[in-house]
Amino acid sequence: MPAAEPLLQIERAEKLFGSRRVIDGLDLQICEGEIVSIVGPSGCGKSTLLRIIAGLDRDFGGSVSVLGHSPQLHSRDVGLIFQEPRLLPWLTVAGNVGFSRGRRGRDDPRIRELLEEVGLAEHATAWPKQLSGGMAQRAAIARGLFTQPRLLLLDEPFSAVDAFTRMRLQDLLLSVAAHHGTTLLMITHDISEAIYLSDRVLVLASRPAQLLGEVRVPLPRPRRRTHPMLGTLATDTMALLERTGTTSSSPSHGAESSDEADEATRHSDGEP
């Protein structure tokens, strides 16, 4: 069961790009051990919110705290996995996983342990260009867990892989998160994915982002993908999304919107 005290606390968060309000008065709590997904229309500010929590964007209003402290860039309390693996092509798979420790990370025994967990132990010395899309994203998951973050943020992490690989990566994520006791906050456009993975699904209204509603998933894990309650809860989530003006439940293979993508590029802090 999640702890009583929130791991992540957001109060009245707001974000402006110039005169354009992207997030407006957002309140959110996530407790230790929870898996929470955020869904909402493209361009509603979901990725911007993750950047704020990760400490990549510090120009915002309101209060955001992780373990009682303001988000800090490169904090070991928070990890971030992007839509694309973003592996450094001049480093091996092992080198990418231990990148946050620089040269000292190359021989860290945890690299081998993590690669075994994600099924890449035999590819430790491979180069990123030698990996399939699913393998590269497994390496990204291992890298995200290397610093042992209490909170792992995922921005549509499986949007670029095929449906079968996506399901395998979903189950892998659940397995490693349970093993490490990691709290997950994920953005996705796939309602079925959100319901299958999460304890709670949060629905954001269209820009500016506000919390429109929440769908709780009371099923224990492991879950059967064919469980009838998952379909019912997906319908409930769709009903909330229809209030935002969108009815799409399929994965998105692009950025949140051209405006937000441009803004994220201008504020980008480089490779993770």
Side-chain angles (χ1 to χ4, degrees):
M1 295 294 291
E5 292 298 321
L7 173 66
L8 170 66
Q9 177 84 45
I10 300 177
E11 296 179 339
R12 307 298 298 168
E14 60 178 31
K15 173 66 182 179
L16 284 80
F17 288 142
S19 61
R20 187 158 47 89
R21 188 174 296 274
V22 180
I23 300 174
D24 185 20
L26 184 66
D27 294 321
L28 172 62
Q29 286 187 351
I30 295 180
C31 292
E32 190 117 30
E34 280 195 295
I35 299 177
V36 178
S37 289
I38 298 176
V39 299
S42 294
C44 75
K46 301 185 296 296
S47 291
T48 298
L49 178 61
L50 250 61
R51 290 175 58 80
I52 289 173
I53 298 170
L56 294 171
D57 187 341
R58 306 184 71 174
D59 181 20
F60 63 91
S63 172
V64 177
S65 63
V66 178
L67 294 170
H69 303 287
S70 298
Q72 298 294 323
L73 185 61
H74 304 313
S75 166
R76 290 186 176 273
D77 292 326
V78 182
L80 178 60
I81 297 176
F82 295 92
Q83 292 182 29
E84 305 84 20
R86 298 195 181 186
L87 301 179
L88 301 175
W90 58 87
L91 293 178
T92 63
V93 170
N96 270 279
V97 172
F99 174 70
S100 63
R101 290 196 61 199
R103 293 181 180 275
R104 293 176 300 171
R106 295 179 180 179
D107 301 319
D108 193 308
R110 294 196 66 252
I111 294 177
R112 182 73 182 184
E113 295 170 7
L114 286 167
L115 289 178
E116 287 179 353
E117 279 192 72
V118 301
L120 291 176
E122 297 181 358
H123 301 275
T125 59
W127 302 102
K129 65 181 180 180
Q130 297 174 301
L131 305 181
S132 67
M135 292 167 69
Q137 199 63 350
R138 279 188 272 161
I141 291 172
R143 181 179 59 190
L145 292 168
F146 179 69
T147 60
Q148 299 177 295
R150 301 279 288 277
L151 175 64
L152 184 61
L153 309 174
L154 304 104
D155 190 354
E156 294 190 72
F158 311 134
S159 62
V161 298
D162 63 85
F164 180 70
T165 302
R166 188 182 189 113
M167 288 189 292
R168 292 183 64 184
L169 288 173
Q170 289 167 355
D171 290 332
L172 171 66
L173 178 65
L174 290 175
S175 174
V176 297
H179 180 255
H180 292 274
T182 308
T183 303
L184 304 180
L185 177 59
M186 183 176 73
I187 288 174
T188 179
H189 281 277
D190 188 326
I191 293 175
S192 296
E193 176 174 80
I195 295 295
Y196 177 69
L197 293 176
S198 307
D199 301 306
R200 292 187 290 144
V201 179
L202 309 179
V203 180
L204 296 190
S206 190
R207 185 177 296 172
Q210 296 174 315
L211 184 59
L212 188 62
E214 173 185 296
V215 175
R216 291 185 175 269
V217 186
L219 293 174
R221 297 186 180 88
R223 295 171 179 169
R224 288 188 295 110
R225 294 179 184 271
T226 57
H227 195 293
M229 183 181 287
L230 296 182
T232 300
L233 295 173
T235 300
D236 294 343
T237 306
M238 180 70 75
L240 281 172
L241 275 172
E242 288 176 344
R243 291 169 54 188
T244 72
T246 181
T247 57
S248 173
S249 61
S250 61
S252 170
H253 294 280
E256 292 246 307
S257 71
S258 58
D259 288 342
E260 189 166 342
D262 290 344
E263 199 67 43
T265 299
R266 285 195 291 271
H267 289 268
S268 174
D269 207 70
E271 295 287 353

